[in-house]
Amino acid sequence: MSPSKNHRATRDLYAGIDIGGTTTQVVLCTEGLDVLEHAEGPTPATEGGDAMIRVALTELRALLGRRPAARLAGVGVGAAGIVDPRRGRILVASDSFTDWAGYPVTKTLEAALGVPAFLDNDVNAFLRGEATGGAVAGEPYALGITLGTGVGGALWLDGGLFEGPHGAAGEIGHVPGFGDIRCTCGGHGHLETLASGRSIAARYRERTGHGRTAKEVGAAADGGDPDALAVFDAAGAALARAILIVAGVADVTTVVVGGGVSGSWHLLEPRVRVRLAAEPPVSGAPITLVRAGLEGSAVAIGAASRVRAELRSAGTAPAPLVPGAAKGLPVSVSATVPLPE
């Protein structure tokens, strides 16, 4: 879903915002989730929630300025950490963020924009994006995994996101049984201790004494460094085991993987597949393993998808455009988006 070159008037647009630890991305999507406009800027994670939302609103305001004949229908946000999607608040945030836990994301956006706002954690938004317009579009059942600073997971069941009664369904990154290394969350032996970018760097440093990023460890593995290869062997084996656990418990055998570490997919994929072939799911169904198709925009597009789904459910989403019906005719004009001082 690359940005469209079609600049004709659009009846309603859906905004998606991805607030990450380093970068904030904003997209404007059509009813069909085609990306019309895209922007990004640095996330002021250490400056507090107001500063982070101000960056998102600044980017969104600029994008809306390019589409003066369009109307903003709603805005969705995908944010790192544990969130309360029903109340639209951040519950728990990592130490990378200042004054983010407890922040009323949707309330602040609705006050600024005058449209409905919705909040997901970033992994759920990632899977929404991939399941509605990415690598697993049309699949009724899928497991989404993000390999970044940490490891996140989400489940798509019967054509929709399954959050579970406590909002933690699919979170395989913090399931124990993968050794005894202490995890950043305080637990031990979690998948994240072997397969996240931070852990790949840490495991390499333990073996060699050299400090390198996960990307640099990947480059070393490409060059035949045995320690780097061993680190990716362990990461691939752990990832395969996690996939098999989900396949056994939930009978989900379609898996989409994204996140920064997926940049070393050529190293991870064959290792995962070897393990999956050696011990297939109890159902006997083959595992379909794919890399994310929306690249870095999956979270933002997934957040926009959440808006569309919520408004459709409430009966307030616009009907799909009839081809040619609005040709040459202006549509509702959006007001300038107010930006909190």
Side-chain angles (χ1 to χ4, degrees):
M1 289 188 182
S2 58
S4 170
K5 295 181 180 179
N6 182 2
H7 290 278
R8 73 173 179 85
T10 304
R11 180 160 43 183
D12 279 88
L13 297 182
Y14 301 83
I17 300 172
D18 172 8
I19 301 179
T22 58
T23 303
T24 294
Q25 292 191 57
V26 182
V27 297
L28 280 179
C29 296
T30 65
E31 169 75 10
L33 297 180
D34 293 315
V35 176
L36 294 178
E37 304 288 352
H38 172 275
E40 62 181 57
T43 301
T46 61
E47 297 177 25
D50 284 339
M52 287 187 276
I53 293 299
R54 184 173 290 111
V55 166
L57 284 170
T58 298
E59 299 294 348
L60 178 54
R61 180 180 183 178
L63 297 187
L64 288 168
R66 300 176 193 170
R67 300 280 169 169
R71 185 180 76 89
L72 181 65
V75 57
V77 178
I82 300 174
V83 309
D84 182 342
R86 294 168 182 84
R87 295 185 179 181
R89 286 179 172 269
I90 305 296
L91 295 179
V92 180
S94 74
D95 56 9
S96 300
F97 296 89
T98 300
D99 296 331
W100 192 224
Y103 193 84
V105 176
T106 59
K107 181 179 178 180
T108 304
L109 288 173
E110 287 174 348
L113 299 170
V115 298
F118 305 94
L119 175 67
D120 268 325
N121 78 24
D122 54 352
V123 185
N124 285 356
F126 160 80
L127 184 53
R128 284 185 192 274
E130 291 295 332
T132 54
V136 291
E139 291 287 342
Y141 301 93
L143 167 67
I145 301 174
T146 55
L147 307 175
T149 303
V151 174
L155 282 172
W156 190 261
L157 302 182
D158 198 22
L161 186 73
F162 178 72
E163 297 177 278
H166 308 105
E171 286 291 358
I172 60 170
H174 294 282
V175 172
F178 297 85
D180 58 5
I181 299 172
R182 183 175 176 83
C183 185
T184 56
C185 71
H188 290 82
H190 293 178
L191 172 62
E192 186 170 299
T193 65
L194 297 174
S196 71
R198 178 164 44 194
S199 295
I200 285 172
R203 303 292 82 78
Y204 184 80
R205 184 171 61 251
E206 289 170 356
R207 297 179 67 94
T208 67
H210 300 309
R212 292 185 176 180
T213 66
K215 184 177 181 180
E216 290 169 341
V217 177
D222 286 335
D225 182 329
D227 290 302
L229 289 168
V231 169
F232 276 96
D233 284 342
L239 187 57
R241 184 165 185 264
I243 290 169
L244 288 168
I245 289 172
V246 174
V249 171
D251 196 22
V252 174
T253 56
T254 296
V255 184
V256 56
V257 181
V261 177
S262 69
S264 295
W265 189 236
H266 62 290
L267 293 168
L268 281 173
E269 182 184 22
R271 289 165 169 79
V272 173
R273 291 192 182 280
V274 165
R275 295 294 181 130
L276 294 178
E279 192 174 356
V282 65
S283 67
I287 298 287
T288 299
L289 181 66
V290 296
R291 186 178 179 184
L294 298 178
E295 300 180 343
S297 296
V299 173
I301 293 173
S305 173
R306 166 81 186 279
V307 179
R308 186 184 68 171
E310 293 285 355
L311 296 185
R312 281 180 174 178
S313 177
T316 56
L321 285 173
V322 177
K327 185 175 182 180
L329 296 176
V331 292
S332 302
V333 179
S334 62
T336 300
V337 178
L339 184 63
E341 296 298 331

